[in-house]
Amino acid sequence: MAASRSLLAWMRAAFNAAGGVFWHLEAWRFSRRRWRAYRRRIRGWLEGWRPSERRLLLVGPSAGWVLDRRLFDRFDVVVALDPDPLSPWLFRRRFRQAQVAFSADDYFGPREDALRIDRLDALFDAYPDHAVLFCNVLSQLPGLFPEATGATSDPPTDTPRFRDWKRRLRQRLSERSWASFHDRLSSDRAPAQEVLALPAELDSLALAERCYHVEEGEAIAVFDHQLTDIAPDLPRHLVDWPRRPGLHHVVELLAVAR
């Protein structure tokens, strides 16, 4: 019975909505050419992030499709959290010399249709002296846990308990260096600007108006990943990620070095 449960958990992780087999196939197909400019921007941005901590926690790095080996060389210890059972193997094939320890511990699973603040606290308590890099994982929460984040509504709007979770995340991040790249908006249309610099956060509607120059009477479908309030006063860049034909993400880059 335990073996059956273990196999079922492996299958769920390997074929989940935010990663797994299909994601890796897509990344293998498009990362080298279609994502070239996006990967260059992510790597350049991370090159400018210089935390004082000597330990790094990667949250959701997958196979490191948009990461650069030089990032890992700047730290004495690098730990990666990712439930996808394929990620460690693929990551090590891509970065053969990198010393990165993987863990599949789950700190994000919901309870009673709410993301768990106690598990969020457990994450930061387990890695008390690590700088944290969220690797496009925060924007996956609406897809993985739609009831917990309010993604089931139309249009999507986050829940009070999701806002509480984000408030706690903001509090815990204030204690250390951190960075996150994550999808803010998604559409079948590329944004009007490939890079947008903002001195502080815009709400999703105002951001969409800045990103997409819509003619009068024209309508486009835009998905909001509900990641307002992570760091409202922090300067940020937003860049175009042409993920695959017919799908573009506006990716937000946030970073604090202490």
Side-chain angles (χ1 to χ4, degrees), residues 69-112:
R69 159 69 192 273
R70 288 170 293 186
L71 171 67
F72 317 134
D73 293 340
R74 287 156 40 192
F75 296 89
D76 297 333
V77 175
V78 181
V79 179
L81 295 179
D82 203 306
D84 179 354
L86 301 176
S87 290
W89 182 77
L90 290 169
F91 189 100
R92 291 183 179 117
R93 285 183 63 85
R94 288 174 48 76
F95 304 102
R96 295 183 183 275
Q97 303 303 316
Q99 300 298 311
V100 178
F102 267 78
S103 170
D105 290 343
D106 178 18
Y107 292 97
F108 294 94
R111 180 179 60 193
E112 297 177 355

Side-chain angles (χ1 to χ4, degrees), residues 1-246:
M1 182 66 70
S4 298
R5 286 198 299 268
S6 178
L7 178 60
L8 179 60
W10 190 95
M11 293 292 289
R12 286 175 174 169
F15 292 91
N16 74 82
V21 172
F22 299 117
W23 155 248
H24 293 301
L25 288 173
E26 180 182 304
W28 174 80
R29 180 182 179 186
F30 294 122
S31 64
R32 181 168 296 180
R33 293 187 179 180
R34 187 176 181 85
W35 301 359
R36 182 177 296 160
Y38 171 66
R39 290 167 54 213
R40 185 174 63 249
R41 291 184 180 113
I42 294 294
R43 292 171 182 179
W45 165 69
L46 286 173
E47 179 64 24
W49 180 54
R50 294 286 173 167
S52 61
E53 293 91 340
R54 300 304 308 156
R55 298 171 182 258
L56 174 65
L57 176 65
L58 303 171
V59 182
S62 183
W65 292 107
V66 300
L67 299 179
D68 187 270
R69 159 69 192 273
R70 288 170 293 186
L71 171 67
F72 317 134
D73 293 340
R74 287 156 40 192
F75 296 89
D76 297 333
V77 175
V78 181
V79 179
L81 295 179
D82 203 306
D84 179 354
L86 301 176
S87 290
W89 182 77
L90 290 169
F91 189 100
R92 291 183 179 117
R93 285 183 63 85
R94 288 174 48 76
F95 304 102
R96 295 183 183 275
Q97 303 303 316
Q99 300 298 311
V100 178
F102 267 78
S103 170
D105 290 343
D106 178 18
Y107 292 97
F108 294 94
R111 180 179 60 193
E112 297 177 355
D113 293 339
L115 296 181
R116 298 176 55 178
I117 290 177
D118 64 320
R119 294 302 295 155
L120 183 63
D121 285 335
L123 166 66
F124 287 99
D125 292 343
Y127 301 95
D129 55 357
H130 293 62
V132 181
L133 173 60
F134 294 98
C135 304
N136 207 9
V137 67
L138 297 178
S139 50
Q140 307 307 315
L141 299 178
L144 290 171
F145 313 122
E147 292 81 7
T149 61
T152 54
S153 62
D154 188 17
T157 177
D158 63 17
T159 63
R161 287 191 287 185
F162 186 33
R163 288 194 292 272
D164 288 341
W165 187 90
K166 289 186 290 185
R167 186 179 304 112
R168 185 57 175 164
L169 174 63
R170 188 168 65 247
Q171 292 171 348
R172 295 305 303 258
L173 289 176
S174 68
E175 303 167 359
R176 65 183 72 206
S177 301
W178 66 275
S180 176
F181 58 100
H182 49 256
D183 309 331
R184 273 293 305 273
L185 304 172
S186 298
S187 176
D188 60 359
R189 177 184 297 193
Q193 297 175 251
E194 291 189 359
V195 180
L196 176 64
L198 295 174
E201 183 178 77
L202 288 179
D203 64 54
S204 296
L205 179 58
L207 181 60
E209 291 174 347
R210 287 286 299 273
C211 289
Y212 306 101
H213 295 171
V214 180
E215 301 293 335
E216 185 175 353
E218 183 184 12
I220 65 171
V222 177
F223 182 82
D224 174 14
H225 289 267
Q226 306 166 45
L227 286 185
T228 56
D229 303 327
I230 298 298
D233 299 322
L234 197 68
R236 77 256 348 262
H237 285 83
L238 296 112
V239 301
D240 176 36
W241 176 23
R243 178 169 165 179
R244 61 175 182 262

